[in-house]
């Protein structure tokens, strides 16, 4: 009887010991799982310099944080040229991780000055060679055709200028309003491309063309808002501007704007993104790029913000009606040449052409 009690007691101790070990193993396993999850869940910071619409930027960041809640995102809004200058000043100690919204010319300069990180994202093969850097230092996110803008209360697509050279017709004298050129990446691109269109080797023919355009130009406005206001007031009926902004104003505001796509084609600016070289939060910046180029996000931005994506593998039927109607014809432009010559050409225009065509 006594032996039976001892054996029973030993059996209980054994069961308690096994249970305790099992519990410890379970706790250790749980702790290890938590450590593994923590190690694989992206976290930390992400600093973005951007030239994009602030509401759109915040919307995308909010969605990014739904997917990656442990990444703290900060952004500063400024012009593409300002971003380039800031990255230059911070080259030895980068403060930004991601450049979101830069002209092709500015991005080329940034790449040549070793300011941008070289890598190959998952979507790289869906971007045409002309819309990305061969070394993977920048990638075009959207296309910005530069077109003829009209006040749709005064003109129609049929009665407005149908091509660039028609803008020189005397009937448009004092009907053309132009956003101040030197401060505008859009206008610098349009004017530089007009020089290339006349003669890519020598700028003299282009300068003469711009002189004739100046003769028909009523005013160079201080900023885009002044341009929109004066065009709405019918102080002029024609301008030159990028298609995305025209569509945004046409469909989301009361501005009476429409566009004419020039018969001979339009300069199509590539607006892109880049990861900053030696970024402190390099992997988070790459995650954001991948998120921004996901097909669902690309389609959403086309519908909500009238972006024309560079991705060539987007199902056209999923895109908005305005996009499906586009015929993106262009003319030959050496973007490297424009990047190299833009400052020289625009300084010449400012010193020798502006206001002298009257």
């Amino acid at each position: 009887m006594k032996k039976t009690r001892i054996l029973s007691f030993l059996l209980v101790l054994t069961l308690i010991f096994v249970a305790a070990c099992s519990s410890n193993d379970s706790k250790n396993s749980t702790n290890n799982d938590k450590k593994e999850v923590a190690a694989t869940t992206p976290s930390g910071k992400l600093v973005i310099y951007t030239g994009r619409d602030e509401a759109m930027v915040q919307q995308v960041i909010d969605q990014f944080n739904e997917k990656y809640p442990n990444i703290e995102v900060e952004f500063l809004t400024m012009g593409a040229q300002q971003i380039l200058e800031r990255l230059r000043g911070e080259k030895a100690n980068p403060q930004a991780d991601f450049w979101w919204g830069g002209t092709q010319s500015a991005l080329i300069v940034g790449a040549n000055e070793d300011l941008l990180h070289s890598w190959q994202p998952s979507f790289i093969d869906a971007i045409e060679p002309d819309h990305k850097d061969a070394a993977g230092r920048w990638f075009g996110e959207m296309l910005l055709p530069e077109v003829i803008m009209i006040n749709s209360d005064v003109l129609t697509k049929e009665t407005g200028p149908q091509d660039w050279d028609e803008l020189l017709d005397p009937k448009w004298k004092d009907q053309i309003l132009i956003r101040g050129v030197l401060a505008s990446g859009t206008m610098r691109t349009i004017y530089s491309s007009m020089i290339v269109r006349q003669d890519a080797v020598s700028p003299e023919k282009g300068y003469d063309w711009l002189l004739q355009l100046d003769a028909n130009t009523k005013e160079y406005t201080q900023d885009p808002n002044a341009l929109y206001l004066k065009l709405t007031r019918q102080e002029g009926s024609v301008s030159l501007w990028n298609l995305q902004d025209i569509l945004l104003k046409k469909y989301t505001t009361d501005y009476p704007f429409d566009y004419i796509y020039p018969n001979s084609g339009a300069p199509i600016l590539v607006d892109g993104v880049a990861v900053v070289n030696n970024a402190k939060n390099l992997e988070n910046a790459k995650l954001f790029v991948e998120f921004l180029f996901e097909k669902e996000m690309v389609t959403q931005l086309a519908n909500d913000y009238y972006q024309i994506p560079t991705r060539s593998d987007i199902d056209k039927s999923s895109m908005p009606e305005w996009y499906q109607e586009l015929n993106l014809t262009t003319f030959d432009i050496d973007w490297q040449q424009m990047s190299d010559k833009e400052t020289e050409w625009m300084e010449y225009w400012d010193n020798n052409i502006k206001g002298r065509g009257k």
Side-chain angles (χ1 to χ4, degrees):
M1 189 71 169
K2 189 175 183 180
K3 288 183 179 180
T4 302
R5 289 177 179 173
I6 293 172
L7 288 173
S8 298
F9 178 70
L10 292 174
L11 179 60
V12 170
L13 286 177
T14 302
L15 291 173
I16 292 172
F17 178 76
V18 170
C21 289
S22 177
S23 176
N24 287 334
D25 288 343
S26 177
K27 288 180 181 178
N28 289 335
S29 177
T30 300
N31 289 335
N32 288 336
D33 288 344
K34 288 181 179 178
K35 289 178 181 178
E36 186 174 343
V37 169
T40 58
T41 300
S43 60
K45 291 184 66 175
L46 172 61
V47 180
I48 298 171
Y49 290 171
T50 181
R52 295 291 169 79
D53 176 80
E54 188 168 331
M56 184 271 286
V57 169
Q58 190 61 64
Q59 178 180 323
V60 174
I61 288 173
D62 288 344
Q63 292 179 247
F64 178 75
N65 278 144
E66 289 177 9
K67 187 173 184 178
Y68 301 107
N70 295 328
I71 297 178
E72 179 187 350
V73 184
E74 299 176 1
F75 71 92
L76 281 77
T77 302
M78 62 191 88
Q81 188 64 31
Q82 290 175 297
I83 294 175
L84 177 60
E85 295 296 338
R86 188 152 181 163
L87 293 182
R88 280 172 171 160
E90 297 171 353
K91 184 175 182 179
N93 183 26
Q95 300 301 300
D97 306 303
F98 180 54
W99 179 357
W100 184 7
T103 63
Q104 187 171 7
S105 295
L107 289 164
I108 288 172
V109 172
N112 291 340
E113 294 184 10
D114 200 30
L115 301 175
L116 310 180
H117 179 73
S118 176
W119 66 298
Q120 300 291 304
S122 64
F123 55 83
I124 188 67
D125 292 337
I127 308 294
E128 298 293 336
D130 289 344
H131 301 156
K132 63 187 176 185
D133 176 57
R137 293 168 295 183
W138 60 265
F139 314 98
E141 182 195 0
M142 65 177 179
L143 304 178
L144 288 174
E146 314 296 346
V147 297
I148 297 169
M149 182 181 187
I150 60 172
N151 180 318
S152 55
D153 285 344
V154 179
L155 299 170
T156 67
K157 284 180 176 286
E158 292 71 36
T159 60
Q162 300 299 299
D163 210 346
W164 301 107
D165 291 343
E166 287 191 34
L167 295 166
L168 308 184
D169 191 310
K171 76 176 182 179
W172 300 113
K173 185 173 179 63
D174 290 336
Q175 287 299 305
I176 299 175
L177 297 168
I178 298 292
R179 190 267 196 251
V181 175
L182 291 190
S184 168
T186 293
M187 292 313 307
R188 292 169 74 102
T189 296
I190 293 174
Y191 273 38
S192 295
S193 67
M194 291 300 106
I195 293 173
V196 170
R197 180 173 174 268
Q198 297 303 311
D199 189 337
V201 177
S202 175
E204 280 71 22
K205 291 181 181 179
Y207 290 156
D208 182 65
W209 192 96
L210 291 175
L211 185 66
Q212 294 179 68
L213 179 65
D214 181 79
N216 282 351
T217 299
K218 182 177 182 179
E219 183 180 349
Y220 298 95
T221 70
Q222 183 174 357
D223 53 43
N225 288 329
L227 172 65
Y228 302 151
L229 184 61
K230 289 175 181 292
L231 199 61
T232 299
R233 289 175 176 171
Q234 300 182 17
E235 294 180 28
S237 58
V238 178
S239 189
L240 311 177
W241 202 236
N242 74 76
L243 180 58
Q244 183 192 26
D245 282 353
I246 298 172
L247 291 173
L248 276 168
K249 295 295 182 290
K250 176 180 179 179
Y251 291 116
T252 66
T253 73
D254 294 330
Y255 285 120
F257 297 161
D258 208 340
Y259 74 94
I260 296 170
Y261 202 101
N263 290 334
S264 62
I268 300 178
L269 182 68
V270 178
D271 198 272
V273 306
V275 174
V276 177
N277 204 17
N278 298 315
K280 292 181 172 65
N281 304 290
L282 179 64
E283 295 307 316
N284 289 345
K286 290 181 177 180
L287 278 178
F288 193 86
V289 174
E290 293 285 359
F291 178 80
L292 189 60
F293 279 81
E294 287 179 2
K295 290 183 179 180
E296 295 78 10
M297 179 56 66
V298 167
T299 303
Q300 177 185 319
L301 293 176
N303 280 279
D304 294 349
Y305 291 95
Y306 302 92
Q307 290 192 182
I308 301 173
T310 56
R311 283 197 72 144
S312 59
D313 58 350
I314 301 297
D315 181 6
K316 195 169 182 177
S317 65
S318 68
M319 299 293 280
E321 183 178 351
W322 64 264
Y323 174 87
Q324 299 185 42
E325 295 174 351
L326 282 177
N327 180 21
L328 295 177
T329 55
T330 187
F331 47 85
D332 289 337
I333 296 176
D334 185 335
W335 290 97
Q336 182 63 61
Q337 179 194 34
M338 274 186 50
S339 177
D340 294 340
K341 293 291 187 177
E342 181 185 278
T343 299
E344 174 189 330
W345 290 345
M346 291 303 95
E347 286 180 354
Y348 183 91
W349 174 85
D350 189 52
N351 293 323
N352 300 281
I353 297 175
K354 180 183 177 184
R356 303 196 179 190
K358 306 298 184 184

